[in-house]
Amino acid sequence: MSVETHAHHEHPDVVGSRNRLGVILLLVADIAFALSMVFVYFYLRGQNVNNMWLPAATSDHPAIEPLSAGPGWTVTAIAAFGLLAHMYGLKGARSQNQTQLKLGSLVALVASVIAIGYQYNTISSAPFTFSDGAYVSCFYMFAIMNMVHLLLTLFISFGNWNRARLGLYVENFWHVDIVRIWWIWMVVSSLLGAFSLSYP
Amino acid sequence: MTDLMSPKTPQWWKKSDVKKTFILWIISTAVIGYVGVEFHVRNMVAPASDTMSSVISLMRMFTWAAAPVAGLVAAMCITVLTTKRHYGDNPPEEADHEIRNSPKTAAVWVVVSGLFCLFALVGGLVVLQHDNEAILDKQAIQVNVTGQQWVWNFDYANGARSEDLYLPVNKPVVFHITSVDVKHSFWVVQMGIKMDANPGYTTETAVTPNKIGVFDVRCAELCGLLHAYMQTKVHVVSQADYDAWLSAHAATEAGA
Amino acid sequence: MTTLTQHTSTAPGKSIIEKLNVFTALALGVISAVVVWRLSLAFLPEDAEGARLFSREDKITLLSMCGWFVGFMTGIGALVGPMRWVMGKDLAHDENMFLAGENMGPKRYFRYTTDHKVVGIQYLFITILIFFLGGGMAMLIRTNLGTPEGGWLHPQAYNSIVGTHGILMIVGTIIMITGPFGNFIMPIMIGARDMAFPRLNALSFWLIVAAAVPLIWGQFIGGITTGWSAYNPLAGQAPLGMDGYIMYICIFAISTMVAGANITTTVVKMRAKGMTWNRTPIFIYGTVASVALALPAFPVFFLSQILSAFDRALDTSFYNVAGGGSGWLYENLFWIMGHPEVYVILIPAIAALMEMAPVFTRRPLFSFNVAVLGIAGISGLSVLVWAHHMYISGWAPLLNAPFMLTTELISIPTGMMFLVLIGTLWRGRLWMTMPLMSIFALLWNFMIGGITGIYLSDVPADAFLHGSMYVTAHFHYTLMGAGLTGALASLVYWFPKMTGRMFDKTLSWISFWLVQIGFNVAFIGMFMVGLAGQPRRVEAYAPTFNTANLVTTIGAYTIMIGMLVLLHGVISSARNGVKASKNPWQAKTLEWTVDYPIPLENFDVLPVVTTDPYGYGKAKS
């Protein structure tokens, strides 16, 4: 077998477009996942079984008041900022401006760290226990989904920044482009959560 | 099947394999329809309500409707299998001519299966409509059914409660079904009705028993350890017997 | 994720790759499970007052299982690629070649090997194992049901065996074609050197291995007593074994999504030059439809199980009625996955037989376009029919009629599949082999499965039949009678390409007839008891059902003998079968143009396709 025939030597554009499709398909799965969470939220809200969506006060328990959806929208805003920073970096890569790429990636990384801190704070300061009714269950469901997505974002944006720092994106930068797709989905998925929680 | 033929032989219906298939089609349709209907009807329990009778006639109707389709496939398979078989380790000679597709055949096929679909749908809807009307019957007896691991409890309007179901004959009855623990399914076998008992919800179904006798109630949804034993009986009795049972039972309840 | 960058291989990193294999994975998985178990035992707080019974035990069990999962995947080397990406040290060419198992011999079957042919064989092995276990459980069930008064199994053991049999077989049938043949054959069939993402390919396989352990683990801590559908709230009160089921489903769902993205990308992006969609073999369509359908479906299942785990371990209220949860929510989530899932199983089986039909009749595939349309139609409709599993659950009686409509519409694309198969057989010269007879077997079984499906799709009839043995018989006719028949035919058909030897002809015939006759005896008997009113999943039944149940049991044993003959055939033919020529069936798809043993990257020179692979027969005069 000649060396030239190895997949290793395929043109980066070919490899890039293949990776792009693969990531989009994986996202289809994640989108189905997130949308079914929205379904869970509105289904339980609509059913309100035993009037326990937001339990009324009992002798040993005050009534459950829904939280403001503000924190959810804030996480979305931070993620959107991260996306913009990342796209700024991508623009730098396109115009062969490595400094801009590194800067954009770094800011995106920082945004993901801030978002994680903020999301953690939201979860730990929530005045609920897990068994406080269906709304609270759904609140935790969205919060935990956001957290998992943000941790993935941290991993990805750290790698992206590190690779930019090492100068791996000089010749071809389709990785950066694919990371952008992830960032978009990060924004949209946290938006889905924030949107749902706005209708307690 | 027009376009399955070579273009040079316009009288496709005169081909020997087409004739053979046609005869086989008629035979196998008759056989499949008869056997299919008898298989279902003989094995199904004897009906104790109009609902069950209509389920049985629905199955009979669907089986006869499906028989020509199944019969055609069977006939073609038999023709093919009895004509050109080749044994050996090497492939037979290739076909005489290549027919790659036949829009006409496909169109006919799709239209026929679409009609079949429509037929099944309408048949189902008619019966369904009939069943739904029963729930709205104002004269009906109301019985609350509660499933719990692993017994059924029946509550009647006068406060009577029993583990065996008692119903008067020829009187519509509406069941309000719920569960106290996990999901069960309330199945009155010979009356052809079934409705899940969901914790947290009340569901409804209705039937009019038309035969005096003792019939089966079974749980049709896996509900834990003793699911298999979650059965009871329904006693369909005359109106007089029912009234007597009900008042006697209510009295006991009140006394206790 | 291969890249252009050519690093000189870093010695320490490479040595890690070389050290990792299934044994390090097992060791690391066990160690990490034990560590997490001890830690959570020591540090997890006691349950709060009034919390659900055993919720601390559930936390410990789930955490330990996660420990196993992370340890195992780390130990097999799944994290090497992502970590190297983050560190900016992409795998170099020789490392990728090492991962592909170049010059490694049999050891490569025990590693995180990326070569699609190795993954295909691994999948074949695990499919056989799953069928062996699931089949053994079926035998226990049938033995228990040989007598009416509940046999020798304790009801809890019986329920657990029913549940485990169900979920094992569902997973087994999901992977039985797209796993072994989708991985081994499909890339060669489209003229590619490997899958689009070789490392994800290895990942999807090893995830299944990682998933299997919690399921087996679950058998020893109470079992899966809920049936394969694991309806809540029953699952909420089930023993700790349920956590094994939850983990198993979650990991398997990830595997399915990864495989789905990988296979779809491979087919879309890597077909040989000239292989337009019109020239792409129908089997490829079937494979892609199946995995692409799983892509949006399985995450829903995944979520349903995560919420189930929350309810169990954290005492949340997704399905817990007392806290505002809903059992109907679970049913919806489950069946939104559950109905596409049966077509995930069925489509590749039928497509595989469509692929074989022209070969064994020496005619072109009849109406290729109709076949594609049928596959597309079934895939599209299958996501709109889930609530026909819930006609009598009472969740939305008004929706019963629309779901009845969508369900019955599925018979149209299904009919197209029949048309293609029967049209190809018509006036063909039948080369009497086991794969050819499997087509007839599929037509027979799927006809019965399909027509009984129409009764079940009909709301009033379903009100009688739902939850009875009739349903069990119906879906065995479709998944086993049609699905498994296609998989067994695929095994015999592609066996020479995968092992270099022919499958023993006599054994294939013996097993075919034993399985098919046994199957029809068994499940006709099951239809009978269903019609007579025997519910599903019961360990005891009224004496009136005895005869038909005994018939079913006898049929089931016949199937078992047939499957054992087949297993014997696989082993003996792989060892001493007749050496196969390059193209023993004289088929025209690309996989038959490569010699055995197939070189690492399949093709020296990538093929160029100029026609579709169904050009049998003399041209029209």
Side-chain angles (χ1 to χ4, degrees):
Chain A
M1 195 186 322
S2 61
V3 179
E4 287 74 33
T5 58
H6 290 149
H8 184 72
H9 282 272
E10 280 171 314
H11 193 276
D13 287 350
V14 174
V15 181
S17 89
R18 192 182 296 158
N19 275 275
R20 195 186 157 88
L21 178 63
V23 168
I24 290 173
L25 288 170
L26 284 175
L27 282 186
V28 167
D30 203 15
I31 290 168
F33 188 70
L35 287 180
S36 30
M37 284 190 186
V38 177
F39 172 76
V40 168
Y41 185 91
F42 285 102
Y43 191 80
L44 287 180
R45 180 175 173 272
Q47 295 281 312
N48 192 12
V49 180
N50 293 330
N51 288 316
M52 287 293 276
W53 172 246
L54 286 164
T58 59
S59 54
D60 55 349
H61 206 303
I64 300 294
E65 295 294 333
L67 285 184
S68 141
W73 289 108
T74 312
V75 172
T76 312
I78 303 174
F81 175 72
L83 168 65
L84 287 177
H86 184 83
M87 281 165 74
Y88 172 75
L90 177 61
K91 208 174 158 197
R94 288 215 176 99
S95 56
Q96 298 298 319
N97 184 342
Q98 288 290 304
T99 326
Q100 187 181 337
L101 170 64
K102 285 172 200 165
L103 181 66
S105 316
L106 183 63
V107 174
L109 171 61
V110 171
S112 70
V113 174
I114 294 171
I116 286 171
Y118 189 81
Q119 184 69 54
Y120 178 77
N121 185 47
T122 315
I123 295 175
S124 61
S125 67
F128 303 133
T129 64
F130 284 110
S131 40
D132 279 345
Y135 164 79
V136 173
S137 302
C138 290
F139 166 79
Y140 281 112
M141 172 181 74
F142 281 120
I144 292 172
M145 171 188 75
N146 258 2
M147 198 64 181
V148 172
H149 276 156
L150 285 168
L151 288 171
L152 275 170
T153 311
L154 175 68
F155 181 86
I156 292 167
S157 57
F158 177 77
N160 186 59
W161 167 71
N162 191 37
R163 293 172 69 88
R165 190 180 61 89
L166 293 170
L168 295 179
Y169 294 146
V170 177
E171 288 168 41
N172 65 84
F173 44 82
W174 53 263
H175 289 230
V176 190
D177 192 54
I178 290 174
V179 173
R180 179 183 59 104
I181 301 177
W182 171 262
W183 266 107
I184 295 174
W185 169 236
M186 178 67 239
V187 176
V188 175
S189 69
S190 56
L191 189 137
L192 284 175
F195 170 80
S196 305
L197 289 170
S198 302
Y199 297 89
Chain B
M1 298 292 109
T2 33
D3 292 8
L4 289 182
M5 308 300 308
S6 161
K8 285 189 176 170
T9 48
Q11 291 172 307
W12 56 274
W13 59 87
K14 286 191 176 167
K15 284 244 176 175
S16 67
D17 56 353
V18 176
K19 279 186 195 162
K20 185 172 164 186
T21 307
F22 186 75
I23 294 164
L24 280 168
W25 184 21
I26 291 170
I27 297 170
S28 54
T29 302
V31 171
I32 290 170
Y34 180 75
V35 172
V37 166
E38 289 302 307
F39 179 81
H40 281 89
V41 173
R42 278 170 194 248
N43 282 300
M44 266 161 123
V45 286
S49 76
D50 286 347
T51 311
M52 187 62 194
S53 305
S54 65
V55 168
I56 293 177
S57 57
L58 211 56
M59 304 276 273
R60 192 190 295 269
M61 194 173 80
F62 283 176
T63 309
W64 274 117
V69 182
L72 178 63
V73 173
M76 287 176 81
C77 283
I78 295 169
T79 310
V80 169
L81 266 173
T82 48
T83 330
K84 296 170 182 164
R85 283 189 314 249
H86 171 90
Y87 294 87
D89 290 331
N90 290 306
E93 213 185 311
E94 299 195 351
D96 299 333
H97 48 79
E98 51 170 300
I99 302 164
R100 285 177 163 267
N101 52 62
S102 160
K104 266 189 221 161
T105 315
V108 168
W109 190 274
V110 168
V111 168
V112 169
S113 54
L115 286 175
F116 181 62
C117 239
L118 196 69
F119 174 75
L121 184 72
V122 171
L125 282 177
V126 168
V127 178
L128 185 65
Q129 185 58 31
H130 188 70
D131 289 357
N132 286 342
E133 278 164 8
I135 293 186
L136 301 172
D137 194 329
K138 290 280 188 293
Q139 305 297 313
I141 297 169
Q142 311 286 323
V143 179
N144 290 341
V145 181
T146 310
Q148 76 178 73
Q149 289 167 326
W150 291 275
V151 285
W152 292 106
N153 283 305
F154 303 101
D155 292 288
Y156 303 82
N158 70 343
R161 173 169 254 230
S162 67
E163 290 194 1
D164 278 21
L165 179 60
Y166 282 83
L167 296 174
V169 73
N170 290 331
K171 190 113 192 259
V173 50
V174 178
F175 299 101
H176 305 271
I177 305 159
T178 189
S179 160
V180 295
D181 37 45
V182 301
K183 195 177 158 82
H184 304 276
S185 194
F186 175 67
W187 182 15
V188 190
V189 179
Q190 287 83 351
M191 297 182 197
I193 56 158
K194 186 184 292 124
M195 182 52 74
D196 284 359
N198 299 279
Y201 298 106
T202 301
T203 48
E204 287 175 347
T205 188
V207 74
T208 308
N210 63 4
K211 210 189 257 178
I212 289 179
V214 181
F215 306 106
D216 298 301
V217 173
R218 298 199 176 97
C219 175
E221 186 63 59
L222 179 59
C223 56
L225 198 62
L226 300 181
H227 161 60
Y229 304 95
M230 192 170 165
Q231 316 188 357
T232 186
K233 295 289 176 199
V234 43
H235 304 263
V236 178
V237 292
S238 67
Q239 183 71 42
D241 288 354
Y242 174 74
D243 291 339
W245 177 86
L246 200 61
S247 53
H249 213 71
T252 349
E253 287 289 305
Chain C
M1 285 212 196
T2 49
T3 65
L4 261 194
T5 37
Q6 290 245 359
H7 292 285
T8 46
S9 65
T10 40
K14 188 176 173 193
S15 66
I16 284 182
I17 294 177
E18 278 175 8
K19 274 178 193 148
L20 297 177
N21 56 41
V22 68
F23 302 107
T24 58
L26 286 172
L28 208 59
V30 171
I31 291 169
S32 115
V34 171
V35 169
V36 174
W37 174 53
R38 296 308 306 184
L39 284 178
S40 50
L41 211 53
F43 292 111
L44 270 183
E46 289 298 320
D47 284 339
E49 192 78 21
R52 188 189 154 272
L53 202 61
F54 297 132
S55 94
R56 182 168 188 264
E57 283 78 354
D58 276 317
K59 282 188 196 108
I60 295 172
T61 312
L62 283 165
L63 284 173
S64 313
M65 283 173 176
C66 289
W68 148 264
F69 171 58
V70 173
F72 181 87
M73 293 318 289
T74 313
I76 197 71
L79 294 180
V80 169
M83 283 304 168
R84 294 286 288 274
W85 179 81
V86 166
M87 293 190 307
K89 291 176 188 159
D90 291 323
L91 291 164
H93 173 68
D94 54 343
E95 288 174 319
N96 275 327
M97 285 294 110
F98 178 84
L99 279 179
E102 192 177 34
N103 306 324
M104 204 188 286
K107 269 188 193 169
R108 67 189 194 279
Y109 292 105
F110 300 94
R111 286 176 183 274
Y112 196 70
T113 305
T114 58
D115 181 12
H116 73 96
K117 298 182 285 296
V118 174
V119 178
I121 297 290
Q122 287 171 328
Y123 260 111
L124 182 63
F125 180 77
I126 202 155
T127 310
I128 291 174
L129 193 67
I130 287 175
F131 281 140
F132 193 81
L133 291 175
M137 289 181 166
M139 288 308 120
L140 290 178
I141 297 170
R142 283 323 312 175
T143 310
N144 196 57
L145 291 180
T147 51
E149 62 283 346
W152 38 276
L153 285 170
H154 183 270
Q156 175 155 347
Y158 177 83
N159 283 351
S160 178
I161 289 170
V162 168
T164 314
H165 162 76
I167 195 61
L168 271 176
M169 287 309 206
I170 289 291
V171 167
T173 44
I174 286 174
I175 64 174
M176 69 188 169
I177 291 185
T178 49
F181 312 110
N183 277 297
F184 193 109
I185 299 297
M186 183 275 286
I188 318 179
M189 206 181 221
I190 62 170
R193 293 213 160 90
D194 203 327
M195 299 286 272
F197 310 113
R199 288 211 309 274
L200 287 189
N201 204 17
L203 178 67
S204 63
F205 168 74
W206 286 105
L207 281 171
I208 291 179
V209 181
V213 171
L215 190 77
I216 297 163
W217 186 343
Q219 301 303 309
F220 297 101
I221 49 174
I224 296 153
T225 55
T226 56
W228 86 277
S229 47
Y231 267 19
N232 275 288
L234 182 63
Q237 57 156 247
L240 291 176
M242 208 56 223
D243 296 325
Y245 174 91
I246 290 170
M247 279 305 284
Y248 177 68
I249 295 303
C250 289
I251 306 174
F252 177 70
I254 302 173
S255 162
T256 313
M257 294 176 237
V258 166
N262 198 358
I263 290 178
T264 311
T265 309
T266 308
V267 171
V268 172
K269 293 280 184 185
M270 296 177 71
R271 278 167 301 138
K273 198 171 274 180
M275 187 180 277
T276 57
W277 287 114
N278 282 336
R279 296 177 189 155
T280 305
I282 198 70
F283 176 65
I284 304 295
Y285 279 90
T287 307
V288 170
S290 161
V291 297
L293 200 52
L295 216 47
F298 272 77
V300 189
F301 196 14
F302 187 30
L303 177 69
S304 75
Q305 296 308 316
I306 287 178
L307 301 187
S308 193
F310 278 13
D311 268 11
R312 291 174 64 86
L314 302 176
D315 207 14
T316 53
S317 314
F318 292 105
Y319 312 127
N320 175 12
V321 178
S326 164
W328 288 339
L329 172 67
Y330 182 84
E331 287 167 43
N332 271 298
L333 292 177
F334 183 83
W335 290 117
I336 286 173
M337 173 289 303
H339 206 84
E341 176 264 345
V342 304
Y343 292 104
V344 166
I345 295 171
L346 207 53
I347 291 175
I350 300 178
L353 288 175
M354 284 179 179
E355 193 62 52
M356 291 170 222
V359 177
F360 294 105
T361 56
R362 315 313 289 174
R363 290 190 69 230
L365 187 70
F366 179 71
S367 280
F368 179 82
N369 296 343
V370 173
V372 174
L373 208 63
I375 289 175
I378 287 187
S379 308
L381 280 173
S382 74
V383 299
L384 298 173
V385 299
W386 78 88
H388 68 216
H389 297 265
M390 300 160 60
Y391 283 153
I392 59 138
S393 79
W395 80 291
L398 288 178
L399 290 181
N400 281 353
F403 276 106
M404 184 157 109
L405 170 70
T406 51
T407 305
E408 279 163 6
L409 280 179
I410 278 203
S411 60
I412 296 176
T414 308
M416 291 179 177
M417 305 278 217
F418 273 94
L419 175 68
V420 172
L421 283 173
I422 198 83
T424 310
L425 293 171
W426 182 245
R427 293 197 180 138
R429 291 195 164 84
L430 302 189
W431 185 7
M432 301 301 283
T433 57
M434 183 274 208
L436 177 86
M437 277 313 284
S438 296
I439 300 174
F440 289 101
L442 172 121
L443 290 172
W444 170 271
N445 293 332
F446 197 35
M447 187 58 88
I448 295 174
I451 292 175
T452 54
I454 291 172
Y455 305 146
L456 288 168
S457 79
D458 188 75
V459 181
D462 188 58
F464 177 72
L465 296 169
H466 186 95
S468 75
M469 281 300 217
Y470 195 88
V471 177
T472 315
H474 156 73
F475 71 72
H476 278 87
Y477 257 96
T478 53
L479 299 187
M480 191 178 172
L484 186 67
T485 298
L488 298 185
S490 306
L491 179 66
V492 172
Y493 178 64
W494 279 305
F495 198 80
K497 197 43 58 182
M498 295 173 83
T499 64
R501 294 168 189 276
M502 300 300 285
F503 197 100
D504 189 288
K505 218 169 154 184
T506 322
L507 289 178
S508 75
W509 277 121
I510 294 173
S511 117
F512 174 83
W513 285 112
L514 282 173
V515 170
Q516 293 300 338
I517 292 173
F519 171 81
N520 277 285
V521 169
F523 290 97
I524 292 286
M526 201 178 275
F527 276 130
M528 288 163 71
V529 292
L531 288 168
Q534 183 186 338
R536 288 170 73 177
R537 296 165 167 167
V538 290
E539 52 109 21
Y541 49 82
T544 44
F545 305 135
N546 196 9
T547 315
N549 268 296
L550 199 62
V551 168
T552 305
T553 302
I554 292 168
Y557 272 93
T558 316
I559 302 175
M560 179 187 77
I561 298 169
M563 292 302 278
L564 288 177
V565 169
L566 189 90
L567 182 65
H568 169 67
V570 171
I571 297 168
S572 65
S573 309
R575 280 185 171 175
N576 339 302
V578 184
K579 282 233 158 77
S581 64
K582 191 200 292 192
N583 189 358
W585 312 119
Q586 307 210 9
K588 307 199 179 204
T589 37
L590 285 175
E591 79 270 26
W592 302 106
T593 62
V594 292
D595 279 311
Y596 188 89
I598 307 165
L600 184 58
E601 292 189 326
N602 304 346
F603 299 99
D604 249 347
V605 178
L606 283 179
V608 175
V609 177
T610 51
T611 60
D612 79 355
Y614 304 119
Y616 299 94
K618 297 149 198 151
K620 253 182 190 173
S621 50

